[in-house]
Every structure is written in C-alpha cells, then in structure tokens.
Amino acid sequence: MSVEKVAVVVAGGSGMGAAAAKRLAADGFKIAILSSSGKGEALAKELGGLGVTGSNQSNDDLQRLVDLTLERYGRIDVLVNSGGHGPRAPILEITDEQWHTGMDVYLLNVIRPVRIVAPQMVKQKGGAIINISTAWVVEPSPMFPTSAVFRAGVAAYTKIFANTYAVDNVRMNNVLPGWIDSLPATEERRDSVPMQRYGTSEEVAATIAFLASEGAGYITGQNIRVDGGIIRAI
C-alpha cells in the first residue's frame, strides 16, 4: 500500500510559498500551510488540506501547525520555508533593531520550523526541506542588505544540517530566486536579466517540487539558482 505524502509550507499564503503549495498538491501531497494573513488557511481549504493562521516568528504557532499536521496525517515528508520581507536601507543606516528583524525574517524563519520538523523526519528515516532564499547570496546586493547577510547564514546552516542528517535520509536544499513576478516589476530589473524577463512563481515552485521528489533523492546541501542567469558566479 502506498504511503500518503505530506508537505508543510510555512509562509504559504501568497507568492512563491502559495505557488509551492499548489504545485505540491497537484503532485499528490497532502498540504498544511502556515501564514499570518489568513490567506494560507483559505488556500489550504481550497487544496483539501490543513491551514493555520500564525507567524513563523512564533515557536508556539509553528508547533501548533506541526502538531495538527501529525494528528491529521501522521507524518511530514516535505517542509518548505518561505518568508516575508525584511528591512532595507543603506548599510550604515540599519539600526540594531532592524538587523534583529532581518535575522527573524531571513534566518530564524528557517531555523525555527526545522528544529520542530526535522526530528519527525529523522524518526521516519526520510524527508526533504527546501528553503526559499535569494539569488544574491553569492553576489550580495546593496538593495537588500539584511536579506543578503542573513540568507548567507541560511546557506551555511544548510551545509551543516545536510552534513549532519544525510545519514538519516533527511535532505535540505535552498532555492535561490532572482527577479520573480511576485515582486514589483521594473524595466531596469528586467533588462538586467540575460533572459530579459521576470521569472514566475510557478517556475520556482516547479524547482521546489523537483527537490521534494524522489528524483532529487541524491541532492542535499545545495543552492539552486532560479534567476534567468543573472548570477553566474561559481
């Protein structure tokens, strides 16, 4: 008898997180979504899944999502970590409080849910965690300083996690989107992309779905760019 696969999407109410939830549902996963806006609950209902309105900055909200998911489905096979937007300012003008906010939005948004979900995956002897990061991890942009700094931390965290839990068949990878259609479009940004267009949330979701699949079973600790070629550093 085949096992029903379950995917949890954190910050999945809109944008790339919502697109990932829709794609994973189309691929046959049962879906559980956390979002702060209530849109995640509505989307989960539409997809026949479970939704919780809460914050990825709250360990209690994340624990409630995981507890309800395990109560209903008994397992978690995939965790997708999305997030919001952190502070932006010239680098010397960012206050201590803004740096701490950036850490909450761009680094702890991964660490908190992984700390709760990964033990279940280890117990199952299998699971895939995919973090939505940014193409500018390797080539930081002054437009997004808190994102670049703390998502570089996510890349380091991912390598340590992958080294530690590969033996348990629990994988972690990062998807690095460039200019995606969930962001405001400008001609200058579009022209900076070799493909001369914005990417789509659905293209990011397709990459996430691949990394969640058995076909990616030998891929862990990697940063996969989905950016139209804008970053070409090794």
Side-chain angles (χ1 to χ4, degrees):
M1 186 172 69
S2 62
V3 175
E4 197 171 59
K5 294 295 184 76
V6 181
V8 170
V9 182
V10 176
S14 61
M16 291 177 279
K22 292 175 186 176
R23 174 58 188 261
L24 290 167
D27 287 352
F29 285 86
K30 296 296 182 182
I31 301 296
I33 300 174
L34 178 79
S35 80
S36 60
S37 66
K39 292 179 181 178
E41 270 198 74
L43 177 58
K45 184 176 181 181
E46 177 186 323
L47 298 174
L50 166 70
V52 170
T53 297
S55 172
N56 64 358
Q57 295 183 30
S58 166
N59 286 305
D60 289 342
D61 289 347
L62 289 161
Q63 188 66 60
R64 183 160 56 97
L65 172 72
V66 171
D67 289 346
L68 289 171
T69 302
L70 292 175
E71 181 181 322
R72 179 176 295 190
Y73 300 119
R75 61 187 296 115
I76 297 173
D77 300 281
V78 172
L79 170 63
V80 178
N81 289 312
S82 188
H85 300 286
R88 292 173 56 188
I91 194 163
L92 294 183
E93 296 177 16
I94 301 171
T95 65
D96 284 6
E97 290 77 14
Q98 288 174 317
W99 281 114
H100 282 290
T101 298
M103 183 171 68
D104 271 333
V105 171
Y106 295 124
L107 177 59
L108 289 172
N109 75 306
V110 169
I111 291 172
R112 287 191 190 100
V114 169
R115 192 165 50 209
I116 297 170
V117 172
Q120 175 64 28
M121 292 180 168
V122 171
K123 181 180 176 182
Q124 294 167 186
K125 285 296 180 182
I129 300 170
I130 303 105
N131 306 313
I132 300 177
S133 183
T134 178
W136 288 274
V137 165
V138 177
E139 294 289 341
S141 168
M143 284 186 288
F144 308 105
T146 60
S147 170
V149 168
F150 289 113
R151 281 170 161 164
V154 171
Y157 178 85
T158 295
K159 289 180 182 298
I160 295 168
F161 182 94
N163 288 345
T164 305
Y165 291 104
V167 69
D168 297 298
N169 195 34
V170 180
R171 302 180 293 109
M172 181 184 287
N173 294 287
N174 300 321
V175 173
L176 312 184
W179 297 121
I180 302 298
D181 61 5
S182 59
L183 297 167
T186 71
E187 188 173 339
E188 180 183 4
R189 290 175 179 178
R190 186 200 66 211
D191 290 346
S192 71
V193 181
M195 294 186 75
Q196 295 289 287
R197 68 173 178 87
Y198 271 56
T200 68
S201 295
E202 289 72 25
E203 287 171 319
V204 176
T207 306
I208 291 168
F210 168 67
L211 291 171
S213 72
E214 292 182 3
Y218 203 51
I219 300 174
T220 192
Q222 303 303 310
N223 296 293
I224 312 296
R225 296 185 193 120
V226 188
D227 67 358
I230 195 168
I231 303 295
R232 293 175 294 282
I234 294 175

